[in-house]
Structures are given as structure tokens and as C-alpha cells.
Amino acid sequence: MKHEEFPKPSIRINEDEVSTELASINIPDIVVPDYGKPLLERRMRCRLLECAPGGTIPIHSHENRPAILYVLEGTGTEHTNQSKDPINWKAGDCFSEYNDVEHWVKNLSDKDPLKILTFDLLDDDQAPSVSDCKSGC
């Protein structure tokens, strides 16, 4: 994966709109597994993911599910095979996840949910099962 700095500088589109690129995935960088559907045959899903106070988002892989996520509310700590140190999440953070990314997240609050907006490129014909995750989803 290529590393890019985000957010990028804001660009004024017109007198009413300002655009800031928060995260991106360069499509040619996505490695589709041999069993995976081509990217153009996938469905994009947008969902609101809520993790309960003190809860965790279990370990999972993005090997066949490229995604961009945006932290709406709350704080969390991500543990990933991409970094030896935990990564702190806070409202306004945006991340891309694909290829060999495996991670899990802990909600750091004991009273507030961690709310994340996710955009995934789903391979509906290849539903992941527990045995599909290298680290055990």
C-alpha cells in the first residue's frame, strides 16, 4: 500500500462549497484474492457501525473487502497487523483498509458509543466465515 498524507488541503469548489479529501484507495493497489470477484462486479455498502461503550469490534480481515471508514463519534484504539503500536481513533478520523489488513478496535469510553461510517466493496458471492480470517474473525 502506498502511504499518502490525509487530510489533503481543502479546495474551494464554489462560494458555498469547500471539499477536503479525507482518505482514498488507489484502485490499482487493491489485490483481489484468486477466489474474489473483480472490483467492478462488487456492491458498495455504506453502514453505520456502533460499538458499545467499553466494547470491541472483533478481529477481522480486509483481504477481500476493501473499505474506507470515517469516525463520527467517540474514541477507540485500533490494533492492526500494519503497526506494532496501537492507533488511536477519534471523531473526524478517516482510514482506508484493504489487502492484508487485519485489525480489531476497542471503544475507549465506558459511557459513549464509538460510531463509524463505513464504505465497503462487497463480494456477495464470497461471504467470509470464521475460518476465512487468518487471525480468526
Side-chain angles (χ1 to χ4, degrees), residues 16-134:
D16 297 321
E17 297 175 274
V18 175
S19 173
T20 304
E21 186 175 346
L22 300 174
S24 70
I25 299 176
N26 295 316
I27 301 301
D29 292 342
I30 297 174
V31 177
V32 176
D34 290 339
Y35 62 85
K37 240 186 200 182
L39 294 175
L40 293 178
E41 294 179 22
R42 293 174 183 237
R43 174 174 62 95
M44 180 178 275
R45 170 183 69 185
C46 176
R47 68 180 172 162
L48 174 61
L49 187 75
E50 292 189 42
C51 181
T56 58
I57 299 169
I59 192 164
H60 60 279
S61 169
H62 286 272
E63 175 185 41
N64 193 32
R65 187 172 48 95
I68 291 179
L69 66 85
Y70 181 78
V71 181
L72 292 169
E73 296 178 21
T75 58
T77 300
E78 175 191 23
H79 301 268
T80 176
N81 64 340
Q82 302 296 307
S83 173
K84 64 180 175 72
D85 298 317
I87 299 166
N88 292 320
W89 288 12
K90 65 183 182 325
D93 286 344
C94 194
F95 304 97
S96 61
E97 307 164 330
Y98 55 100
N99 295 347
D100 57 353
V101 169
E102 291 184 13
H103 65 151
W104 62 276
V105 180
K106 173 79 174 165
N107 181 344
L108 296 177
S109 176
D110 59 357
K111 61 181 178 186
D112 298 317
L114 175 61
K115 294 184 180 182
I116 304 160
L117 190 60
T118 68
F119 299 87
D120 306 278
L121 290 176
L122 295 179
D123 181 348
D124 291 327
D125 291 341
Q126 183 64 37
S129 69
V130 172
S131 62
D132 290 336
C133 293
K134 293 182 183 96

